[in-house]
Amino acid sequence: MSRFRPSKQADKDQGFTAVELIIVLVLLGLVATLTLPNLQTWQARYELRTAADQLAADIREMEQLALSYREEGLNPENDNFQVWLYPGSDCYYLKRIGIHSWSQERNMPRSVDLYTTNFDNHKIIIGLRGTVTRGGTVTLQSRRTGEFFYVIVASLTGRVRVSRVPPESWEIS
């Protein structure tokens, strides 16, 4: 029976040379340099989509609050719920206006701008039945990529949706 014995040459080949390590590090640096801009673009798009989804969810929540307060008799006739939008900023406010007023600030990622709206006075007003008094569009823009996302609120139903494409026959001012 023969036993396996490593040769003396195999004992010497146990590690990497400095040249091999430098080549691997240079290749890793090159790959990181090429992929970093794509990663930043992906992150900016993700933050823009997330901000649009959050705004849409907040509008839907305000519609549901108005409806639930009405059904429980907690919403007097002159109360309403509003979303106050501030073009050029990275925040908006959820408000209940009336006898039992309250307000909550919502911040978007710093990479996202609330670009513009076509709501009167940049306010979405939600009536007692949980529907908006007037439909419109909120435009969000990525500060990094310049891309837009649109939060579209239907006038009759109050349906809220998010889109990469603006509504028909509507242009950014």
Side-chain angles (χ1 to χ4, degrees):
M1 200 187 253
S2 78
R3 292 187 166 191
F4 174 73
R5 283 190 189 168
S7 67
K8 291 184 179 184
Q9 183 65 26
D11 288 339
K12 292 180 182 178
D13 293 336
Q14 294 290 326
F16 299 105
T17 66
V19 172
E20 291 170 328
L21 287 174
I22 290 172
I23 290 172
V24 168
L25 290 175
V26 166
L27 288 174
L28 286 174
L30 183 63
V31 168
T33 302
L34 294 175
T35 59
L36 190 60
N38 288 337
L39 183 60
Q40 289 174 342
T41 299
W42 177 84
Q43 181 183 7
R45 287 180 177 154
Y46 173 78
E47 289 173 350
L48 179 62
R49 177 63 194 228
T50 302
D53 287 341
Q54 183 61 53
L55 175 59
D58 285 338
I59 295 168
R60 288 185 199 111
E61 180 182 5
M62 295 297 279
E63 291 173 340
Q64 289 299 313
L65 276 174
L67 189 59
S68 68
Y69 275 47
R70 178 179 181 260
E71 289 174 355
E72 294 173 15
L74 301 173
N75 202 4
E77 290 293 321
N78 58 349
D79 280 14
N80 62 47
F81 290 83
Q82 298 180 4
V83 180
W84 290 26
L85 307 158
Y86 295 97
S89 73
D90 57 2
C91 72
Y92 56 94
Y93 290 86
L94 307 176
K95 296 187 177 210
R96 180 177 180 194
I97 307 297
I99 296 172
H100 305 288
S101 296
W102 50 260
S103 177
Q104 294 178 358
E105 180 180 6
R106 294 284 203 254
N107 292 307
M108 295 184 292
R110 292 183 187 267
S111 64
V112 177
D113 243 348
L114 202 156
Y115 185 74
T116 190
T117 77
N118 62 356
F119 288 97
D120 293 333
N121 298 317
H122 306 293
K123 294 178 189 175
I124 301 171
I125 300 173
I126 301 161
L128 294 174
R129 297 192 190 317
T131 57
V132 295
T133 56
R134 181 182 175 277
T137 302
V138 180
T139 305
L140 303 178
Q141 182 181 30
S142 172
R143 291 179 182 168
R144 292 183 191 156
T145 65
E147 293 176 295
F148 294 99
F149 252 91
Y150 305 92
V151 178
I152 303 162
V153 183
S155 58
L156 294 176
T157 62
R159 177 179 177 243
V160 182
R161 66 186 176 92
V162 175
S163 176
R164 287 183 177 271
V165 180
E168 290 182 19
S169 71
W170 185 81
E171 294 181 19
I172 300 171
S173 55

